Amino acid sequence: MDTVALTARLRQALQSVLDPEIGESIVDLGLVERIDAAPGEQRLSVVLVPTSATCPMSDLLIEDATAAAEQALPGGWVADVTLDFSLPWSPARMSPALQQRFGWSADAD
């Protein structure tokens, strides 16, 4: 499987992972910063952005995202999911549909 297809497959799997506090998809919330594939190592790296610098559910978020990723990956591949607390999250990262549902607009920023 090529890395583009593998990355798309992983992003789809992460769509089912819900933020434990908000109850919304981590993809729709804009928590998925980056997905990098290292085919030679059969390793996929996922970098997530926490919604706050003191994210109390960070361990559970990593566990859930790792479990979803490992189910989506072909045998022999490993998922490495991390949170980057140096990256800022804001509602502007949310999908347009989620922004609308939450009543947030770019004008409010």
Side-chain angles (χ1 to χ4, degrees):
M1 178 178 289
D2 68 76
T3 57
V4 172
L6 191 58
T7 300
R9 183 174 173 178
L10 182 62
R11 186 170 293 278
Q12 183 62 36
L14 292 174
Q15 184 71 40
S16 69
V17 177
L18 302 181
D19 179 277
E21 293 180 292
I22 302 171
E24 297 291 341
S25 162
I26 64 172
V27 172
D28 291 340
L29 283 167
L31 302 187
V32 179
E33 171 67 19
R34 185 171 65 251
I35 300 172
D36 297 318
E41 301 173 23
Q42 291 191 315
R43 178 173 299 277
L44 211 122
S45 172
V46 179
V47 177
L48 303 177
V49 177
T51 54
S52 76
T54 59
C55 182
M57 303 298 283
S58 60
D59 290 342
L60 181 59
L61 189 59
I62 290 171
E63 288 172 18
D64 290 351
T66 299
E70 288 179 346
Q71 283 188 331
L73 293 174
W77 280 74
V78 175
D80 181 26
V81 180
T82 58
L83 277 171
D84 187 340
F85 286 92
S86 71
L87 297 171
W89 180 88
S90 77
R93 294 182 64 105
M94 292 189 297
S95 69
L98 196 55
Q99 287 178 5
Q100 184 177 14
R101 211 168 84 224
F102 283 173
W104 186 86
S105 69
D107 297 336
D109 195 20

